[in-house]
Amino acid sequence: MSVVETILIFAVIPLAIVLLFALLTLVPGRAKKARYKPGQAWEHGPVWWEPHPLHGPAAGNHDDAPKALGSSVYQEPQALGSGHGSSAHGSSAHGSSVHGASAATSRPVPVPAGPLGGARGTW
Amino acid sequence: MTRSIEATSHDTATHTTAASRTDEAEGGDSPFTLPELSRLDEALTMSSRETGLRFTLYMGDLGQRTRSRAEELHATSGGDPADSVLLAVSPGQRVVEVVTGHAAARRLPDRACALAVLSMTNSFAAGDLVGGIVNGLRQMSDQAGHPRGLTTH
């Protein structure tokens, strides 16, 4: 085995492998989200997730009155506005009633739920 | 025609449907990727449907007094707070709080919550927030069980 062969096998090939892995890890490829590490600060705003309702609008509810809002074809539900939204009602009144409803439901009143249970943990 | 509609961003949300603004969906402040969000969503929804309790997940700062803040949040969590379970995670403070209403606490005792919290903190300490939350939700919903008269679909 000559000197050139020795260098090729024992120096160049390991160097090539190291460079390959370095490229794979250091290339700024896909923009990944910063992974959470314990102890680092949490800069994101508060988020509150809730489960989907059992008969949500997307799941298709089989009530008598269609609950499609914003469409003049369907009858408006009674709870939303003062009366039925006919096509002559005008969109401004309909819009304001919907906005009022959403503003009322966006901040629910606190309801005390009796003696609370639960647990607490730190890490 | 289509281009002019897409150029202006409409907020299409009504009070029963969510907004379908695709232009703001990406690059937001969400700490999780879309697959992680769908895992969280499925875990929350399925554990709520399985048990009839209402599981909600709060993620963010809980202030100086974490327990009282979590109980305030539980009182405003919507639905019937007696039947709801709040899972509040504050990664910045490294605190997780589970708050159960009095009807939910009958089916989900504090010992079971503590066990779920223990498994969650194990995953959180390893840096796996979503996996810990999903596993904790699964433990709590397994403990609460499926009531006999509940129809889930």
Side-chain angles (χ1 to χ4, degrees):
Chain A
M1 188 183 277
S2 69
V3 179
V4 179
E5 278 182 335
T6 311
I7 290 175
L8 270 179
I9 291 172
F10 289 104
V12 177
I13 292 177
L15 199 67
I17 293 172
V18 166
L19 281 179
L20 174 72
F21 280 108
L23 271 179
L24 283 178
T25 51
L26 295 180
V27 156
R30 318 174 296 276
K32 278 175 66 180
K33 290 259 180 186
R35 188 179 155 82
Y36 168 75
K37 296 183 192 67
Q40 77 180 22
W42 188 254
E43 293 105 10
H44 307 284
V47 201
W48 201 345
W49 286 283
E50 60 178 10
H52 287 284
L54 194 54
H55 293 292
N61 41 2
H62 308 291
D63 292 340
D64 298 325
K67 296 288 195 300
L69 303 172
S71 164
S72 60
V73 175
Y74 294 126
Q75 194 182 13
E76 302 289 345
Q78 289 277 6
L80 267 182
S82 51
H84 280 109
S86 65
S87 57
H89 239 223
S91 61
S92 62
H94 167 249
S96 67
S97 71
V98 167
H99 278 292
S102 66
T105 52
S106 66
R107 185 174 283 275
V109 286
V111 184
L116 299 172
R120 177 177 202 278
T122 56
W123 72 90
Chain B
M1 187 66 188
T2 315
R3 176 168 308 207
S4 69
I5 288 175
E6 283 175 354
T8 53
S9 171
H10 303 291
D11 198 348
T12 57
T14 67
H15 83 291
T16 48
T17 60
S20 60
R21 298 174 73 156
T22 52
D23 51 349
E24 289 181 358
E26 292 169 13
D29 191 36
S30 174
F32 301 125
T33 59
L34 285 178
E36 290 174 334
L37 284 175
S38 81
R39 278 182 72 197
L40 282 181
D41 188 42
E42 187 180 353
L44 273 180
T45 304
M46 293 322 286
S47 51
S48 299
R49 289 201 185 159
E50 187 65 26
T51 59
L53 305 175
R54 182 181 157 85
F55 286 92
T56 58
L57 167 67
Y58 174 85
M59 196 135 205
D61 196 63
L62 284 172
Q64 199 69 30
R65 301 168 62 214
T66 56
R67 186 70 198 175
S68 57
R69 176 79 184 120
E71 287 180 356
E72 283 171 23
L73 287 171
H74 178 265
T76 56
S77 63
D80 185 10
D83 259 335
S84 65
V85 179
L86 173 72
L87 174 59
V89 183
S90 172
Q93 300 167 292
R94 296 204 251 179
V95 168
V96 53
E97 300 271 2
V98 176
V99 186
T100 53
H102 67 86
R106 217 171 294 143
R107 293 172 50 200
L108 190 60
D110 291 355
R111 289 169 60 103
C113 292
L115 195 61
V117 161
L118 188 66
S119 97
M120 279 191 273
T121 52
N122 264 327
S123 293
F124 294 162
D128 189 10
L129 285 177
V130 178
I133 290 166
V134 169
N135 269 329
L137 282 172
R138 179 157 54 208
Q139 277 196 20
M140 287 195 280
S141 66
D142 280 351
Q143 173 66 37
H146 184 78
R148 186 167 301 220
L150 184 70
T151 55
T152 52
H153 45 76

